[in-house]
């Protein structure tokens, strides 16, 4: 692959090769500065090139890299000042070429990311006996801002639904992490295997395993609802605005009664995930 051939340029080697006796110091400094910029933009393109799957620019970038390397082989001691000026002009031209390729690679990366990210909406039910005051949902390994979805909402209490959370599944099926904290600031964490989420929306129920001290999120099958006590009931009805509704269950799987009350919305994790509460 050409990606292996397109490598970094080390600027120190060039700076030494451009040193010559008898030339004005300002001209030498100008030539060194120009090549240092060329090496810098080349290395930026190398890194950007590594991060795209598209290989349509491989041959052009490899040829450009060869030309950039040749620039460092000139011996200024054997060149007239006019020749140095021409060399600087050529370097400027190559810098412009690299900037163009850098913009193309940025566009390609954006298109590839748009093509592979799949938004999945999650409805979350609190099947534990814990009231949560903090809930964060983010991609595993993410270094971005992690926002508390419940920051402007009331507590996420047992038996309550939180609708409108969103995860973004990529081609690597990178897991997402759900972290929560109760009123005593005790933290809980569970990992969501989003690669298993094949639908546009998924219902999950949170359970707390007291024997292991772990929080788990179990998927609710379509048309069924897992209640906090482990029994199954009917799927809660949603209003026209998509907010979840909850009610009581007579234990025999009868229809739930009651209406949902929107508690508010909050910004979510990096993808802007948020939620609505129903109870």
């Amino acid at each position: 692959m050409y990606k292996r051939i397109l490598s970094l340029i080390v600027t120190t080697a060039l700076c030494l090769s451009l040193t010559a006796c008898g030339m004005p110091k300002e001209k030498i400094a100008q030539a060194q500065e120009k090549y240092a910029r060329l090496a810098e933009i080349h290395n930026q393109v190398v890194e950007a090139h590594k991060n795209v799957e598209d290989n349509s620019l491989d041959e052009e970038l490899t040829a450009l890299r060869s030309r950039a390397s040749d620039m460092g082989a000139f011996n200024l001691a054997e060149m007239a000042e006019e020749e140095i000026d021409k060399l600087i002009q050529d370097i400027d031209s190559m810098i412009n070429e690299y900037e163009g390729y850098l913009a193309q690679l940025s566009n390609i990366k954006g298109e590839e990311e748009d093509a592979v990210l799949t938004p999945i909406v999650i409805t979350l039910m609190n099947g534990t006996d814990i009231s949560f005051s903090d809930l964060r949902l983010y991609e595993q390994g993410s270094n971005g801002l992690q926002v508390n979805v419940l920051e402007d909402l009331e507590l996420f209490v047992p038996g309550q639904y939180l609708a409108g959370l969103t995860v973004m599944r990529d081609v690597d099926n990178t897991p997402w992490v759900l972290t929560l904290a109760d009123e005593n600031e005790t933290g809980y964490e569970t990992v969501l295997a989003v690669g298993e989420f094949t639908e546009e929306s998924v219902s999950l129920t949170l359970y707390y395993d007291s024997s292991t001290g772990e929080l788990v999120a179990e998927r609710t099958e379509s048309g069924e609802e897992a209640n906090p006590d482990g029994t199954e009931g009917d799927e809660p009805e949603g209003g026209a605005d998509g907010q979840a509704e909850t009610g009581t269950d007579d234990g025999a799987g009868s229809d739930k009664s009651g209406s949902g009350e929107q508690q508010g919305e909050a910004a979510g994790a990096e993808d802007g995930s948020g939620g609505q509460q129903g109870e």
Side-chain angles (χ1 to χ4, degrees), residues 200-239:
E200 294 182 357
S201 60
V202 174
S203 294
L204 300 174
T205 301
L206 289 175
Y207 294 107
Y208 177 69
D209 188 337
S210 58
S211 63
T212 62
E214 295 181 350
L215 193 71
V216 295
E218 293 187 0
R219 185 166 178 184
T220 304
E221 296 298 329
S222 178
E224 297 179 350
E225 174 207 333
N227 295 324
D229 60 2
T231 62
E232 293 180 354
D234 292 337
E235 182 80 1
E237 296 180 358

Side-chain angles (χ1 to χ4, degrees), residues 16-58:
L16 290 175
S17 66
L18 285 179
T19 302
C21 298
M23 290 294 296
K25 292 182 179 180
E26 295 80 5
K27 187 66 64 176
I28 294 174
Q30 185 181 5
Q32 292 175 335
E33 181 181 347
K34 289 292 184 179
Y35 194 88
R37 173 56 186 154
L38 177 63
E40 178 186 1
I41 190 70
H42 167 85
N43 293 343
Q44 290 176 8
V45 169
V46 169
E47 295 303 320
H49 189 234
K50 291 177 182 177
N51 293 325
V52 300
E53 298 295 328
D54 189 304
N55 60 2
S56 60
L57 299 178
D58 288 8

Side-chain angles (χ1 to χ4, degrees), residues 7 58 116 120 128-129 162 170 172 175 230:
S7 56
D58 288 8
V116 302
I120 302 174
T128 74
D129 59 358
L162 188 62
D170 58 22
D172 296 324

Side-chain angles (χ1 to χ4, degrees), residues 150-164:
L150 302 176
E151 183 174 4
D152 296 322
L153 306 179
E154 296 182 7
L155 293 175
F156 186 30
V157 300
Q160 193 174 46
Y161 295 90
L162 188 62

